[in-house]
Every structure is written in structure tokens, then in C-alpha cells.
Amino acid sequence: MKNIEKYLSLLGETVDGLLLTSRYSRFYGSECDIAEGVAIVTKKGCRYFTDSRYIEAAQKGIVGFEVLETNRCNPYNKLINDAIAQFGVERLGYEEGYLTVGEFNSFADELKAELIPLGGKINSFRAVKECWELERMRKAQEITDKAFSEIITRLKAGMTEKQLQVELIYCLYKNGGEGLSFDPIVVSGPNTSLPHGVATDRVIQEGDFVTMDFGVLLGGYCSDMTRTVAVGYATEEMKQVYETVLTAQQAGIAATKAGVTGQQIDAVARRVIADAGYGDYFGHGYGHSLGMEVHEPPNCNPNGVTVMTAGMVTSAEPGIYLPGKFGVRIEDVVIFTEDGCEDITHSPKNLIII
Ligand code: ZN
Ligand code: ZN
């Protein structure tokens, strides 16, 4: 089914029009990624509004929408109201999770249709990926893998976390990344116990763990991976924690298939960590979905009740964080299939000592 048809399927008794304001839903519906704009979807017609900076790209790339330019004489709300009048829209579903209060107030004051929050349904389609979306995600993850194999040849004791972060960003772009899916996390030594720590001027030393969590954008889709490596040597405790996290991740991946809930997968990995005595040191969830955004529902965490289906995606990223000492996280991205999953991350996971 084409994505625009998925949106049209939401039209009926509850709403007779959709107002797409997020970059993600506009991209999803129109097959063209335009940084700014607004689109309206109705059964009588679909229109896409953007300004002079993007109009040429929009006219070339957008499929299934009439593209109109907004400008001083034709502000967004006037163009939306014209469409509301011409297509006879009475109830307009909007994305409440992607509007500021100011933007919402402006729509509520000026638009001549009743506004109905429908963001959950509008964005729910993105959870199950089409083949072309999965292909982009595989390619994005491949770039991330290549960057990892290169960064471990550049990582040396004596560099600071910030220096390593800059090198990592260089490797991500050099290997084909079109953007970063988020600011890479680069932490070392005791800072590795901060799951989302920020790179500092700390000098990387022998005996450190270094955790790098990073990803790129390719064709509008994100990759995400984490590896933890040791520098010089690893103590017995470091090795034991590393092996526990790896075993937990492998158990989670083995439990990943269509028909299970995120909660079930999280529980399998969490059990391994608890059995090893580190249950209090794994605070976050096992995984999150991703696609156009690096964090998307559904999640594989203790609250994840969604039953997963083939074509959904999750990260697999258990971790153990010992405050003041060190932490370990290992993260792959996997695609749910009917009878298992496809791990699209191919970087080695044995403990690398640099
Ligand atoms: Zn990550
Ligand atoms: Zn992640």
C-alpha cells in the first residue's frame, strides 16, 4: 500500500482531513523530505504548502500532493483554510506531539475546522517499515559499521573524548553518512557509567573502557549502534561485565520475533543481567524502535505491551553501569521477521582491546 493510502484510510467518521505538520509525516506521505512545510490530506484532494526556499525541490520530489507556495500574501493558515473550504473539511486530525503550543493556538484561532488530536494514529504507520525503508536503514547501518572499523584504528590512549568524538564524526561522514542521527556519545573510563554522557576533555588512558554510541542519516533514515572497547588491558571485572552485557544482548536478540511483546524481549535480557548480580545497574530499557527518528515507538522496555510484527525494528542495547567505576553497553539494530529477526549491525562484538 502506498503511504498516502494509509493516511487516507484514517478518513471517515472521526475526521475528514489530516493536517500533517511534522517533517516525518510529510516525508512519509509525500515520499519527499522537505525541512519545512504543512500538508493537508483529504479524500477530495491533497495539498502541500512550503516556502520559496523549498518550493522547487518540493515541486520536483513530492508525489500525490498539489504543491503550493506560501508567502507573505498567502500565509499557511490562509492556504489551509482555502483547502478546508474547497474540500469541505469539517474535522481535521492533527499531530499533537509535533506542534508547539503557539502553533496549535494559531491553528485553533484561525482554521475553520474542528481540530481533533490524531497524532498517535497518523504516526503509527511508521512502526512497520516498507521494504524501501528497510533498505535505507540497512545502508545507514552499514555506514555506521564502516565508521566503527575505522575509528578503532584511530583510537589511542592520550586522545581526549572530544578529540575521539570529532574523529568519529569525520568517519561517519567520510563513509557516506548524510547527517548524524544524533550527537555521538563518546565516554571513557569512569564516564562510561553515564549511559548518555557527553564527551569531555578527559584523556583516554590504558585500562579504560571507551563507549561510543553513534549513527547516521541516509535518505532520511537513521542508524544507531554502540560498542564498548577497552584500551590497553581489561580487568577481570571489566571482562565479566562485558560478557554479561553481551550474553544479555544475544539472549534478547534470540527472543526477538513477530508475535512477542517488547516487554517479553526486555525481560529475557534483563533476567541475564539480574542473574549475574547486576540487576540494579541496568536502568534503561532494552531497546527502542527507530526509522526517520532515532527514537520511535514501540519500545522494548518493561512497559512495552505492543505485540511486534514483521517489518518492525528495534535496537538491542542492554547495558550495565557501575557508578564511579565503568559501564558497558552494546547496541545493534534488528528487524523483526516472522520467525526471528535480521541483525543489520555487523560490527564485531567480542571484547576488543586496543
Ligand atoms: Zn545508540
Ligand atoms: Zn539506541
Side-chain angles (χ1 to χ4, degrees), residues 36-236:
E36 289 181 32
V38 177
I40 185 165
V41 175
T42 80
K43 285 193 174 160
K44 293 185 185 153
C46 300
R47 281 191 192 156
Y48 197 115
F49 315 115
T50 189
D51 66 51
S52 61
R53 293 171 298 169
Y54 308 106
I55 194 73
E56 191 180 345
Q59 281 165 342
K60 273 190 198 143
I62 282 176
V63 177
F65 289 75
E66 182 189 352
V67 178
L68 297 179
E69 184 177 337
T70 183
N71 51 43
R72 234 168 270 125
C73 303
N74 293 293
Y76 279 117
N77 287 359
K78 177 181 180 292
L79 295 171
I80 299 166
N81 272 332
D82 288 348
I84 286 171
Q86 285 169 28
F87 300 143
V89 176
E90 290 177 358
R91 291 173 310 278
L92 195 55
Y94 71 96
E95 296 176 88
E96 69 278 16
Y98 292 96
L99 284 180
T100 64
V101 174
E103 287 164 341
F104 174 77
N105 287 343
S106 153
F107 288 146
D109 286 347
E110 296 180 24
L111 297 189
K112 308 261 185 286
E114 187 186 348
L115 292 173
I116 313 273
L118 209 66
K121 284 195 172 155
I122 291 171
N123 287 290
S124 67
F125 297 115
R126 280 164 43 200
V128 181
K129 269 66 178 172
E130 299 285 347
C131 294
W132 63 269
E133 297 181 279
L134 294 174
E135 210 34 58
R136 288 184 193 189
M137 294 186 73
R138 285 189 192 95
K139 285 198 180 122
Q141 203 72 13
E142 199 181 304
I143 291 167
T144 305
D145 276 330
K146 283 185 187 159
F148 176 70
S149 64
E150 196 168 333
I151 195 66
I152 54 175
T153 68
R154 293 167 177 258
L155 197 180
K156 293 192 172 55
M159 297 171 88
T160 68
E161 292 171 355
K162 280 184 182 171
Q163 285 166 343
L164 181 60
Q165 185 188 37
V166 169
E167 296 275 334
L168 176 56
I169 292 169
Y170 171 71
C171 292
L172 289 167
Y173 278 102
K174 186 183 162 208
N175 284 286
E178 296 173 346
L180 302 173
S181 47
F182 57 95
D183 278 339
I185 294 167
V186 175
V187 283
S188 67
N191 294 345
T192 51
S193 71
L194 309 167
H196 276 198
V198 175
T200 68
D201 291 321
R202 183 183 183 277
V203 176
I204 296 167
Q205 298 157 24
E206 301 245 318
D208 278 354
F209 265 145
V210 175
T211 297
M212 294 172 281
D213 185 349
F214 52 100
V216 296
L217 281 164
L218 187 84
Y221 285 76
C222 294
S223 61
D224 188 9
M225 78 175 259
T226 307
R227 288 293 183 269
T228 300
V229 299
V231 179
Y233 64 91
T235 63
E236 281 313 306

Side-chain angles (χ1 to χ4, degrees), residues 251-260 265 308-314 334-343:
I253 291 173
T256 299
K257 59 177 181 187
V260 303
I265 300 167
M308 303 299 189
T309 58
M312 285 186 174
V313 172
T314 188
V334 308
I335 300 168
F336 286 83
T337 62
E338 287 303 339
D339 51 4
C341 66
E342 175 193 344
D343 191 336

Side-chain angles (χ1 to χ4, degrees), residues 224 288 295 315 317 331:
D224 188 9
H288 54 87
H295 291 134
S315 71
E317 53 176 309
E331 176 181 28

